[in-house]
Amino acid sequence: MLIDTSTVTLTPAYQRPYQAATGAGKKSFSELFASVTQAQAARPAAASQASNAESTNYRAQLLNAAKADPVKAEKLLAFSTAPESGAFPLIDISQWPAVRYSVSGELQTPQSQAYVSETAASAAKARDALLHAERSKGTPAAAILEKVLALNSALPLRYKAMANIGY
């Protein structure tokens, strides 16, 4: 929350480090989003590798949580295999009316939307088939989750960038 009057500007403490690091002051949302998107595109390869390490760490954290608690494993598995959990495209509207997928930078077109939709549907079917096959074998939820995450990791890179699957 930013309260700005001619004499006083109040900024919550949790935003101050971000503003200090980014120089974000009184920018509009679109200006701020565009600057973050440009900074993301200009990241060096080392930062990209760090991001890949974070993704691997995220996956490891999910699996560790699932292995530690069977109830949590069931919840994570249910979330990971729900049909609507397939694609959460992040879009960049900073150059409106051009809309891009934030991670890949690819323009959002009817063809790209169809690709995301078709690939998400295929991935959902594969996850569902995997879930039913493993349940019939009596596989624990944490082990099934590991296989589901591996399936998601094996999806095409183009789709993963569009659908915001970082692992």
Side-chain angles (χ1 to χ4, degrees), residues 19 31 41 87 98 121 141 143 145 154 163:
Q19 289 179 343
E31 291 170 327
L145 178 64

Side-chain angles (χ1 to χ4, degrees), residues 12-162:
Y14 68 86
Q15 286 183 349
R16 289 184 196 129
Y18 171 77
Q19 289 179 343
T22 62
K26 296 178 184 175
K27 292 182 179 181
S28 70
F29 173 77
S30 60
E31 291 170 327
L32 181 60
F33 189 78
S35 68
V36 169
T37 303
Q38 290 168 355
Q40 177 75 10
R43 284 189 331 173
S48 180
Q49 289 172 351
S51 178
N52 289 341
E54 289 171 11
S55 297
T56 302
N57 189 31
Y58 170 72
R59 183 176 172 182
Q61 287 176 348
L62 284 177
L63 292 173
N64 288 340
K67 290 174 183 174
D69 182 1
V71 173
K72 185 159 214 129
E74 285 294 341
K75 288 179 183 179
L76 290 169
L77 183 59
F79 176 77
S80 298
T81 58
E84 66 276 0
S85 72
F88 293 113
L90 291 177
I91 57 170
D92 174 359
I93 58 170
S94 65
Q95 297 175 355
W96 185 262
V99 177
R100 297 183 178 278
Y101 294 95
S102 293
V103 176
S104 69
E106 183 177 337
L107 276 173
Q108 190 178 48
T109 64
Q111 294 81 9
S112 67
Q113 288 175 315
Y115 171 77
V116 168
S117 179
E118 290 168 9
T119 306
S122 294
K125 286 180 186 175
R127 282 190 292 269
D128 189 51
L130 175 64
L131 177 66
H132 290 304
E134 294 300 320
R135 290 271 194 213
S136 69
K137 294 181 200 175
T139 306
I144 299 172
L145 178 64
E146 188 168 9
K147 291 178 182 189
V148 168
L149 295 178
L151 186 148
N152 288 345
S153 292
L155 292 170
L157 290 176
R158 178 182 179 214
Y159 171 75
K160 287 174 35 174
M162 292 169 142

Side-chain angles (χ1 to χ4, degrees), residues 1-4 8-17 19 24-25:
M1 174 173 84
L2 178 66
I3 300 172
D4 189 8
V8 177
T9 300
L10 298 175
T11 304
Y14 68 86
Q15 286 183 349
R16 289 184 196 129
Q19 289 179 343

